[in-house]
Amino acid sequence: MKKIINDPKRVVDESVAGFGAAHADLVRVEMDPIHIVRADAPIAGKVGIVSGGGSGHEPLHAGFVGFGMLDAAVPGAVFTSPTPDPILAATKAVDGGAGVLHIVKNYTGDVLNFETAADLASVEGIDVRSVVTNDDVAVKDSLYTAGRRGVGGTVLVEKIAGAAAERGDSLDEVAEVAERVNANARSMGLALTPCIVPHAGEESFTLAEDEIEIGIGIHGEPGRERIKLEPADGLVDRLLAPILEDLPFESGDRVLLFVNGMGGSPLVELYIAYRRAAEVLGERGIEIARSLVGNYITSLEMQGMSITLLKLDDEMVELWDAPVQTAALRWGR
Amino acid sequence: MKKIINDPKRVVDESVAGFGAAHADLVRVEMDPIHIVRADAPIAGKVGIVSGGGSGHEPLHAGFVGFGMLDAAVPGAVFTSPTPDPILAATKAVDGGAGVLHIVKNYTGDVLNFETAADLASVEGIDVRSVVTNDDVAVKDSLYTAGRRGVGGTVLVEKIAGAAAERGDSLDEVAEVAERVNANARSMGLALTPCIVPHAGEESFTLAEDEIEIGIGIHGEPGRERIKLEPADGLVDRLLAPILEDLPFESGDRVLLFVNGMGGSPLVELYIAYRRAAEVLGERGIEIARSLVGNYITSLEMQGMSITLLKLDDEMVELWDAPVQTAALRWGR
Amino acid sequence: MGLDITWAVDWVRRSAQVVSDHRIELITLDREIGDGDHGENMDRGFQAVLPKLDDLHAGSTPGDVLKLVATTLISTVGGAAGPLYGTAYLKAAVAAGDSVSLDAEAIAGILTAARDGIVLRGKAEPGDKTMVDAWTPAVDAATAAAADGADALGALQAAASAAWEGAAATEPLVARKGRASYLGERSAGHRDPGAESSALLLQAAADAAAASAGA
Amino acid sequence: MGLDITWAVDWVRRSAQVVSDHRIELITLDREIGDGDHGENMDRGFQAVLPKLDDLHAGSTPGDVLKLVATTLISTVGGAAGPLYGTAYLKAAVAAGDSVSLDAEAIAGILTAARDGIVLRGKAEPGDKTMVDAWTPAVDAATAAAADGADALGALQAAASAAWEGAAATEPLVARKGRASYLGERSAGHRDPGAESSALLLQAAADAAAASAGA
Ligand SMILES: Nc1ncnc2c1ncn2[C@@H]1O[C@H](COP(=O)(O)OP(=O)(O)O)[C@@H](O)[C@H]1O
Ligand SMILES: Nc1ncnc2c1ncn2[C@@H]1O[C@H](COP(=O)(O)OP(=O)(O)O)[C@@H](O)[C@H]1O
Ligand SMILES: [Mg+2]
Ligand SMILES: [Mg+2]
Ligand SMILES: [Mg+2]
Ligand SMILES: [Mg+2]
């Protein structure tokens, strides 16, 4: 295992400490229990937004703490949901009296730990609402399963809900737009290579030199299917087809196209994928009104990508365009 | 070779096309000869800034085209300097009558091709000045050699010179501040893994599971020395020592600390490195006035990092803080 | 001859040991159909419990120990296993009440409460390929043993061996809950890591009881 | 019996062929002490020259061919080799002037001009481990051969074999120019890719001359 780390057990602590030092203008870092809050939190009268989950998906979530997006991020151990304590601490730290929204990716661990934290926060008199993201079309959705995973759509939910909270929307309103973004987002990912969790020290799965995994999530888990490597255009088509038919996205729709790197793929490749995705959407009469390309929700050093489509309405566009000032996403200020 | 590409020969073309499609609000892309210019170029009375070089270092340079930074970027084939034609075309496209600055990384190919383009532009009546960046302390500097490579410092030169041009400085003034930034920047890098150039299809060098290369550049070339993998803190110390002693950086200095990923290393690791670098600088009484952490000048999917220190003066700080609006670096608007 | 605080503390120590010994195995099982952290998570949790055992005092009960484990796992394990095991130990503590000694029936009651807690939080049914598939046969076996007149040791031994069978029986299943469910059909052919850790913990309980009985 | 336009065109065709045949070898040499693109760059350049040969007309001279190669390499190769070879062919074209036939002395003059062009642009000295280390002995050998009364073919054959020796002699050298210089001492023990491609091109020139002579 080759990594720029010291002790595998201190990866998250040291990285968060470094993040805090590098972005002291944006955030304040608390180490016990570990959480990252906006430098100016709590903001009286503003809905606080807290997200979190296992580490290893950076810049998600700490990279999205700041003006117009998250008020706090709670990092767990690598690929492990945080426990309720730091989620509760973060919730308290960002409560400005208008309530707090938890944005939770749909994984059993995240859902349960955030649930406990929300219960504890309610006991302390904080109004908490939760939105669970579940945009991954690679997973079959059913009442009898754990349901779809929250992946790329989470970034879009955090940006848009963050903008709604920043303009002063109520907790109900912020939760509503977050739900709406999640309901209109669909994603699918693939991996060219596995990743290595520091404490495990071994590759999360093994792939032959000509094999890739289709339908992966963001935890180094294998996907639904293993196929032979194909040219980029074919890969993009494979990701887009189930996304397009799931919502479905149709001619005349306006979308945000998000091509996300899993961490280890160079930007050149993401733009090659973007080119094809734009071509396919164009052929179908779907208008790309906004786009995002880069490594925003990752699996450590995994090579691969995911594509997320969000069907936009006017309010979402307005909130997407609203100023944001975080370590990883910034515009308008 | 596992990559999200179609034809290896079309990697740059397709990627640039995707970049243009994704960032049509910021840039205009010309495919023959290939170059990327600011959407609003040329800007009358403003010094134009052109940079370029081999592809594979994304977001450098195309990701830095936009308000407050570059007016044009000229991508060559992967790791190969562009030829004079597109450099000339870009120079003409951004000439607003106040002259054009070429920012050239110090590699024989880049220097020669930009030289020819500058000669041709002069013939066409454009006032061209060139600044050659050479901040890499891993390379011994001497009159009898090719000299030091331009690496991480180039990003800082582009940002600061871009801000000077944006505020209306003359060509001489913009060139002067670019030279000053270059003269005060020092960098050094290391690789945990090689990268694979698409047309070559093989790893740029081979390393055992416990070996790393110290003193690498940004072209997948081997470094000065091969050592056993060490904990992150030791690696950071190895990069910082020659940087600190070279300028030298001393107690009381104000610096910009830039921890750059080579493309394939996860952000967690870069922040672990940042933490240690900040600690070392603190111990030495060097003040970190500004910082930058992320993948800004890369070697395809190489895992590794470089550290750049820039000794700041007041004007550099002001220009660093000035608004910038590019695909990869954005603040203030 | 019921099981007392000594047994409870010994169970925790043995649990910490056995989880640490099987850390890599649990990581490997979880890597195959999950995200490779189960062994690390459980080890972090039980290592955190150990120093807290010193906080117990002369009058502490098995229920106090179970509560200590519950709160520590909840605040240190994270992931799915943290809240699920946390709830299990919490419900077990409630079931144990302030009894100082637990007989077979009490043991069966504790295990039932633990299993019900897991189901309450995780909503998994038997056959979903989760830790429930180890706990449910364990609960049934302990209850039957107690009804047949076994002592507490006998009830725990029955529970442990049923848990092992239950864990092994998860191998052919297609997961419907937890991370393994994302793999769909590909989850078949691998043992569920949470079922494995459950069997390890129940075996530790039985071993601690055997040691108590031998002493 | 001088070398004419047929020879010049044949030289270009053979150059394109030989560079394409040795593309991987040149990439590999460059990967070891550079950035692994030399074969790709040269191949791209010479493939771009081929279709342009059709633009030549009845009255075209060897100088026209050299100029065509120069401008095409400059606008398609990039990297260090593009401008260096570009300048070499450009200076060679100037030296060739509008002669329709080149004798041994003219050939020596052309090679000298090419080499001087490379040195002018690249500032490398002999022993810096660059293409200059193939060109300089080649120029010397061609000049000596011409002085000794060899014909154009003989001059080119002398140049080619000296270039091969020069290329081989770069192996032990520590690079002082170009990308290989960044490796310091580690550059020793590898042949310079540009010296190798230079030898390939000069060999192609000699082979084309032999074919002309044979025809
Ligand atoms: N809904 C559920 N009900 C019961 N057990 C579950 C459920 N979801 C997951 N598990 C158990 O949790 C185990 C995984 O734990 P762990 O790896 O620590 O958490 P995570 O899945 O969050 O990484 C699974 O092997 C399974 O036994
Ligand atoms: N200053 C120089 N003078 C002469 N030849 C040089 C010089 N620098 C580099 N070269 C030659 O160029 C070759 C490398 O060409 P190439 O790989 O195409 O370009 P790059 O180094 O830009 O990748 C080297 O092997 C060397 O022979
Ligand atoms: Mg986990
Ligand atoms: Mg090159
Ligand atoms: Mg797990
Ligand atoms: Mg090269």
Side-chain angles (χ1 to χ4, degrees):
Chain A
M1 174 179 59
K2 277 185 174 176
K3 289 180 184 292
I4 304 170
I5 61 172
N6 295 300
D7 179 353
K9 297 213 185 282
R10 294 194 34 80
V11 162
V12 175
D13 284 4
E14 291 185 358
S15 185
V16 168
F19 182 85
H23 303 294
D25 51 328
L26 298 174
V27 303
R28 216 164 57 223
V29 155
E30 301 293 339
M31 296 306 286
D32 189 23
I34 197 164
H35 60 288
I36 296 115
V37 297
R38 242 175 97 157
D40 54 356
I43 299 162
K46 186 182 109 49
V47 169
I49 306 194
V50 175
S51 192
S55 292
H57 310 303
E58 290 69 24
L60 186 88
H61 297 273
F64 301 135
V65 174
F67 181 94
M69 211 162 165
L70 300 181
D71 293 86
V74 189
V78 174
F79 292 170
T80 302
S81 159
T83 62
D85 307 11
I87 304 173
L88 175 63
T91 304
K92 284 159 67 170
V94 307
D95 175 36
V100 176
L101 180 72
H102 284 179
I103 298 177
V104 185
K105 301 191 294 304
N106 188 36
Y107 300 94
T108 309
D110 294 78
V111 169
L112 293 178
N113 286 288
F114 270 89
E115 209 169 84
T116 304
D119 288 349
L120 295 171
S122 300
V123 170
E124 304 205 21
I126 303 175
D127 198 3
V128 178
R129 292 278 302 271
S130 299
V131 171
V132 177
T133 62
N134 59 347
D135 52 312
D136 187 354
V137 301
V139 174
K140 288 211 188 68
D141 201 6
S142 137
L143 265 182
Y144 307 100
T145 66
R148 286 181 166 172
R149 297 175 286 218
V151 288
T154 313
V155 176
L156 312 182
V157 171
E158 293 182 359
K159 168 64 182 86
I160 291 176
E166 200 67 61
R167 76 174 174 192
D169 282 14
S170 69
L171 181 55
D172 279 351
E173 288 163 338
V174 175
E176 189 279 323
V177 78
E179 293 283 11
R180 187 146 45 92
V181 173
N182 180 59
N184 285 284
R186 294 293 184 279
S187 301
M188 175 118 167
L190 62 82
L192 306 189
T193 64
C195 58
I196 301 181
V197 177
H199 66 245
E202 277 183 67
E203 298 194 333
S204 57
F205 49 81
T206 48
L207 280 175
E209 182 51 38
D210 62 344
E211 282 176 345
I212 65 168
E213 287 272 344
I214 298 274
I216 50 126
I218 53 170
H219 295 88
E221 65 270 55
R224 294 293 282 211
E225 204 188 344
R226 183 163 293 192
I227 63 162
K228 295 278 171 213
L229 180 62
E230 289 178 1
D233 289 357
L235 296 177
V236 168
D237 293 356
R238 275 183 193 271
L239 297 187
L240 271 181
I243 289 173
L244 288 168
E245 93 189 10
D246 191 88
L247 192 65
F249 292 87
E250 286 166 342
S251 177
D253 285 348
R254 293 165 69 205
V255 300
L256 186 156
L257 168 57
F258 173 23
V259 176
N260 174 64
M262 298 310 296
S265 281
L267 229 39
V268 252
E269 300 180 23
L270 302 186
Y271 281 112
I272 289 175
Y274 183 95
R275 180 191 153 280
R276 173 62 183 172
E279 191 170 73
V280 172
L281 295 179
E283 282 163 9
R284 295 203 173 215
I286 297 169
E287 181 202 346
I288 304 174
R290 295 292 181 275
S291 43
L292 184 67
V293 183
N295 293 281
Y296 292 103
I297 172 167
T298 63
S299 273
L300 295 171
E301 70 278 73
M302 176 180 276
Q303 289 181 27
M305 63 169 170
S306 64
I307 293 181
T308 299
L309 278 192
L310 169 62
K311 185 165 158 178
L312 292 165
D313 58 35
D314 290 344
E315 190 188 19
M316 290 186 210
V317 172
E318 187 188 320
L319 292 169
W320 178 259
D321 289 345
V324 59
Q325 182 175 356
T326 69
L329 213 60
R330 185 165 175 178
W331 55 73
R333 52 184 274 153
Chain B
M1 174 179 59
K2 276 185 176 177
K3 291 182 183 288
I4 304 170
I5 61 172
N6 295 300
D7 179 353
K9 296 212 186 281
R10 294 194 35 79
V11 162
V12 175
D13 284 3
E14 291 186 357
S15 186
V16 167
F19 183 86
H23 303 292
D25 51 329
L26 298 174
V27 303
R28 215 164 58 223
V29 156
E30 301 293 339
M31 296 307 286
D32 189 22
I34 197 164
H35 60 288
I36 296 119
V37 298
R38 241 174 98 157
D40 54 356
I43 299 163
K46 185 182 111 46
V47 170
I49 305 193
V50 175
S51 191
S55 292
H57 310 302
E58 291 67 23
L60 187 89
H61 298 273
F64 301 135
V65 174
F67 181 93
M69 212 159 164
L70 300 180
D71 292 270
V74 189
V78 173
F79 292 171
T80 301
S81 159
T83 63
D85 307 9
I87 305 173
L88 175 62
T91 303
K92 285 162 57 172
V94 307
D95 176 37
V100 175
L101 181 71
H102 285 178
I103 298 178
V104 185
K105 301 189 297 303
N106 188 35
Y107 301 93
T108 308
D110 294 79
V111 170
L112 293 178
N113 285 290
F114 270 89
E115 211 169 84
T116 303
D119 287 350
L120 295 170
S122 300
V123 170
E124 305 206 18
I126 303 175
D127 197 3
V128 178
R129 292 278 302 269
S130 298
V131 171
V132 177
T133 62
N134 60 346
D135 52 312
D136 188 353
V137 301
V139 174
K140 289 212 189 67
D141 201 7
S142 139
L143 265 181
Y144 306 101
T145 66
R148 288 181 164 171
R149 295 175 286 219
V151 288
T154 312
V155 177
L156 312 183
V157 171
E158 293 181 0
K159 167 65 184 86
I160 292 174
E166 200 68 61
R167 76 174 174 192
D169 282 13
S170 70
L171 182 56
D172 279 350
E173 288 164 335
V174 175
E176 188 280 324
V177 76
E179 292 285 10
R180 187 145 45 91
V181 173
N182 180 58
N184 284 283
R186 295 293 185 279
S187 302
M188 174 119 169
L190 62 82
L192 306 190
T193 64
C195 57
I196 300 182
V197 178
H199 66 244
E202 275 181 68
E203 299 195 332
S204 58
F205 49 81
T206 49
L207 281 175
E209 181 50 38
D210 62 344
E211 282 177 345
I212 65 169
E213 287 273 344
I214 298 274
I216 51 126
I218 53 169
H219 296 88
E221 66 269 53
R224 294 294 280 211
E225 205 187 343
R226 183 163 294 192
I227 63 161
K228 296 277 172 210
L229 180 62
E230 289 178 4
D233 289 357
L235 296 177
V236 168
D237 293 357
R238 275 184 192 271
L239 297 187
L240 272 181
I243 289 173
L244 288 168
E245 95 188 8
D246 192 86
L247 193 64
F249 292 88
E250 287 166 341
S251 178
D253 285 348
R254 292 164 71 204
V255 299
L256 186 156
L257 168 57
F258 173 23
V259 175
N260 175 63
M262 299 308 298
S265 280
L267 228 40
V268 252
E269 299 180 23
L270 302 185
Y271 282 111
I272 289 175
Y274 183 94
R275 181 190 152 279
R276 173 61 182 172
E279 190 171 74
V280 172
L281 296 177
E283 282 163 10
R284 297 204 171 216
I286 297 169
E287 181 201 345
I288 304 174
R290 294 292 181 276
S291 42
L292 184 66
V293 183
N295 293 281
Y296 292 104
I297 172 167
T298 63
S299 273
L300 294 171
E301 70 277 73
M302 177 180 275
Q303 289 180 26
M305 63 169 171
S306 65
I307 293 180
T308 299
L309 277 192
L310 168 63
K311 184 165 158 179
L312 292 164
D313 57 35
D314 289 344
E315 191 189 18
M316 289 185 209
V317 173
E318 187 188 321
L319 292 169
W320 179 258
D321 290 345
V324 58
Q325 181 174 356
T326 69
L329 214 59
R330 184 164 176 179
W331 55 74
R333 53 183 273 152
Chain C
M1 215 211 66
L3 295 170
D4 60 7
I5 177 77
T6 313
W7 163 77
V9 169
D10 190 32
W11 178 19
V12 175
R13 292 200 195 282
R14 286 173 187 265
S15 296
Q17 185 62 49
V18 81
V19 163
S20 165
D21 290 347
H22 293 261
R23 180 177 157 275
I24 299 289
E25 182 192 334
L26 294 172
I27 284 175
T28 305
L29 287 177
D30 194 29
R31 197 167 52 227
E32 284 165 3
I33 54 170
D35 59 352
D37 60 0
H38 188 57
E40 183 73 11
N41 295 345
M42 296 298 289
D43 189 33
R44 184 173 55 242
F46 274 97
Q47 290 304 318
V49 179
L50 289 181
K52 298 207 181 162
L53 293 174
D54 301 340
D55 299 348
L56 297 170
H57 50 82
S60 296
T61 61
D64 292 332
V65 174
L66 293 170
K67 190 162 168 227
L68 188 72
V69 174
T71 54
T72 309
L73 295 188
I74 289 170
S75 68
T76 58
V77 175
L84 292 172
Y85 274 122
T87 302
Y89 281 90
L90 204 59
K91 299 290 181 185
V94 172
D98 44 21
S99 309
V100 294
S101 172
L102 306 167
D103 62 12
E105 215 170 305
I107 288 292
I110 283 171
L111 298 184
T112 305
R115 190 269 318 269
D116 291 351
I118 294 169
V119 171
L120 183 77
R121 292 301 305 271
K123 314 251 167 3
E125 294 177 12
D128 281 356
K129 192 174 184 122
T130 69
M131 55 173 73
V132 170
D133 294 324
W135 281 90
T136 293
V139 165
D140 293 345
T143 308
D148 286 357
D151 63 1
L153 167 61
L156 279 174
Q157 283 173 331
S161 71
W164 282 118
E165 279 170 39
T170 63
E171 287 179 20
L173 298 176
V174 172
R176 277 190 301 258
K177 281 279 170 358
R179 232 168 253 291
S181 67
Y182 306 138
L183 270 71
E185 303 291 330
R186 292 174 84 188
S187 63
H190 300 272
R191 183 175 297 203
D192 177 63
E196 180 78 3
S197 63
S198 297
L200 288 168
L201 296 176
L202 289 168
Q203 184 67 53
D207 291 350
S212 292
Chain D
M1 214 211 65
L3 296 170
D4 58 8
I5 176 76
T6 314
W7 162 78
V9 169
D10 190 32
W11 179 20
V12 175
R13 292 197 196 283
R14 286 173 186 266
S15 297
Q17 185 64 48
V18 82
V19 164
S20 165
D21 291 347
H22 293 261
R23 179 177 158 274
I24 299 288
E25 182 192 335
L26 295 173
I27 284 176
T28 305
L29 287 176
D30 195 30
R31 196 167 54 227
E32 283 165 5
I33 55 171
D35 59 352
D37 59 0
H38 187 58
E40 182 73 12
N41 295 346
M42 295 298 290
D43 189 34
R44 185 173 54 243
F46 273 98
Q47 291 304 319
V49 179
L50 290 181
K52 298 206 181 161
L53 292 175
D54 302 340
D55 299 347
L56 297 170
H57 50 83
S60 296
T61 61
D64 292 332
V65 175
L66 294 169
K67 185 155 173 239
L68 189 71
V69 173
T71 54
T72 309
L73 295 188
I74 289 171
S75 69
T76 58
V77 175
L84 292 171
Y85 274 123
T87 303
Y89 281 91
L90 204 60
K91 298 289 180 188
V94 173
D98 44 20
S99 309
V100 294
S101 173
L102 306 167
D103 63 12
E105 217 168 306
I107 288 291
I110 283 171
L111 297 184
T112 306
R115 191 269 318 270
D116 291 351
I118 294 168
V119 171
L120 183 76
R121 292 301 305 270
K123 315 253 170 350
E125 294 176 12
D128 281 357
K129 194 177 183 116
T130 69
M131 55 174 72
V132 170
D133 294 325
W135 281 90
T136 293
V139 165
D140 293 346
T143 308
D148 286 358
D151 61 3
L153 167 61
L156 279 175
Q157 284 174 332
S161 72
W164 283 118
E165 278 170 39
T170 63
E171 288 180 18
L173 299 175
V174 172
R176 276 190 300 258
K177 281 279 175 346
R179 233 168 253 290
S181 68
Y182 306 139
L183 271 69
E185 302 292 330
R186 292 175 83 187
S187 63
H190 301 273
R191 182 174 298 204
D192 177 64
E196 179 78 5
S197 62
S198 297
L200 287 168
L201 295 177
L202 289 169
Q203 185 64 55
D207 291 350
S212 290

